[in-house]
Amino acid sequence: MLIEIDFNSPEAIYIQLRNQIVMEIAQERLRDGDSLPSVRSLAKELGVNMHTVNKAYAILREEGYLKLDRRKGAIVSVEKSRKEDELEKINNYMQMIVAQAICKEITKEEMSQIVAEMYDAFRLL
């Protein structure tokens, strides 16, 4: 897993970390059952605070990308059942939502429908 943090970015480090892990899952570089580095290990490797990594992992768990186990650590475990929730988020941010949609098994046709509605909405502006 290759994570690169941009310390000059206005985007919070924990969000950068979360987004890159989602992208790794979407690109199948991380798969269900894969273990992520421990919070301590990843924080040291990236040169960030442990709380930053912990926050990113907690968000990924809440969003259905990881399971956290005290003995095994963070394990990739993508919940496929939250499709409707993900469709709603697509309107807010397209690049990351495409990665999330791939992870959540949302079809290309469903994505096309949303894009078509966005084009229609822009024509009304």
Side-chain angles (χ1 to χ4, degrees):
M1 178 172 71
L2 177 64
I3 301 290
E4 294 181 10
I5 300 299
D6 180 358
F7 292 99
N8 295 318
S9 172
E11 188 170 53
I13 293 170
Y14 74 92
I15 296 294
Q16 291 181 52
L17 180 55
R18 175 247 178 234
N19 290 349
Q20 289 187 45
I21 290 172
V22 170
M23 291 296 282
E24 293 284 313
I25 295 168
Q27 294 169 356
E28 298 183 343
R29 287 185 234 162
L30 284 174
R31 299 175 186 269
D32 273 358
D34 286 351
S35 294
L36 294 180
S38 70
V39 169
R40 186 179 310 253
S41 168
L42 187 56
K44 184 177 180 181
E45 180 182 329
L46 297 175
V48 300
N49 190 295
M50 284 179 23
H51 296 293
T52 301
V53 176
N54 196 44
K55 187 170 186 175
Y57 279 11
I59 290 170
L60 288 161
R61 181 184 50 80
E62 289 171 19
E63 293 176 342
Y65 292 102
L66 297 181
K67 287 188 179 178
L68 300 177
D69 182 293
R70 289 186 188 268
R71 292 170 284 163
K72 297 179 183 177
I75 308 293
V76 175
S77 179
V78 180
E79 293 176 10
K80 308 288 189 214
S81 63
R82 296 175 48 185
K83 192 175 200 178
E84 295 80 19
D85 293 341
E86 294 306 313
L87 284 171
E88 185 177 323
K89 292 177 187 176
I90 289 170
N91 292 300
N92 296 325
Y93 46 93
M94 286 301 293
Q95 185 174 10
M96 278 309 304
I97 203 65
V98 168
Q100 291 172 337
I102 290 167
C103 294
K104 304 290 183 165
E105 296 184 2
I106 295 171
T107 67
K108 187 175 182 177
E109 291 74 26
E110 289 168 323
M111 291 294 292
S112 295
Q113 178 183 348
I114 291 169
V115 171
E117 290 171 2
M118 286 181 176
Y119 274 97
D120 292 342
F122 277 104
R123 286 187 197 132
L124 296 174
L125 295 176

